[in-house]
Amino acid sequence: AYANRSGSTQWNVIGPDPVRLTANATSTNTTLADLTDLAIVLDGTRRCRWVLFYSGSTTGDIKVALSVPSGTLIWGGMGFDTSLALQTPVTEVSGTAAAFGANGTGTKLWLVIDCIVVSPTVDDFITPQFAQNSLDAANATTVYANSFGYKF
């Protein structure tokens, strides 16, 4: 087994290098927070993918971003917008969030994030981030354990 940036145990490596969220992560505010269990170490130009299982209130929804300290980044997500229609936003700026819809606290949805990082500094991490898109402090937005990611 391997340890990721936060010291959590990853799955055994079979094919791409997978990481997984070992416990639920919650947010009751709009400030982006790192999902450190899902951070992926970069060893050159890489594609990465994450699948996030989440829920939140229809007021709070969810926003996600990718944070990478170096290199050229382009990423996109596939999931539901805040009116629950399919959307596929694309961004090229580290830390710039895209909003996705939620369908009520406890009602799980999923979204897929794909990216490529070109010429990063070796051993930098790319880290998914999340928060509520709109403040709903009474109802947490949750990214569920066993959300996962990998590089290839």
Side-chain angles (χ1 to χ4, degrees):
Y2 296 87
N4 66 13
R5 181 171 153 182
S6 66
S8 298
T9 302
Q10 296 179 333
W11 296 333
N12 290 330
V13 176
I14 300 173
D17 295 329
V19 293
R20 77 177 176 92
L21 194 60
T22 57
N24 293 351
T26 60
S27 176
T28 55
N29 62 59
T30 59
T31 303
L32 288 168
D34 290 347
L35 290 166
T36 55
D37 280 0
L38 297 180
I40 294 175
V41 66
L42 298 168
D43 53 1
T45 296
R46 287 290 189 171
R47 280 192 55 212
C48 300
R49 175 175 290 157
W50 292 267
V51 177
L52 303 182
F53 304 104
Y54 72 95
S55 73
S57 73
T58 56
T59 299
D61 294 312
I62 190 172
K63 64 181 174 184
V64 297
L66 293 178
S67 175
V68 63
S70 66
T72 302
L73 170 69
I74 185 168
W75 72 272
M78 183 173 67
F80 298 103
D81 69 12
T82 56
S83 64
L84 297 181
L86 183 63
Q87 72 164 359
T88 56
V90 174
T91 188
E92 297 182 53
V93 179
S94 176
T96 298
F100 293 88
N103 199 23
T105 303
T107 302
K108 292 180 184 175
L109 296 173
W110 62 275
L111 65 94
V112 176
I113 301 168
D114 271 309
C115 80
I116 187 166
V117 182
V118 179
S119 301
T121 301
V122 173
D123 294 331
D124 272 351
F125 285 87
I126 184 167
T127 307
Q129 301 174 306
F130 88 108
Q132 290 184 326
N133 188 51
S134 298
L135 183 63
D136 186 0
N139 296 292
T141 296
T142 302
V143 177
Y144 289 98
N146 295 318
S147 295
F148 63 93
Y150 53 92
K151 65 182 175 185
F152 47 100

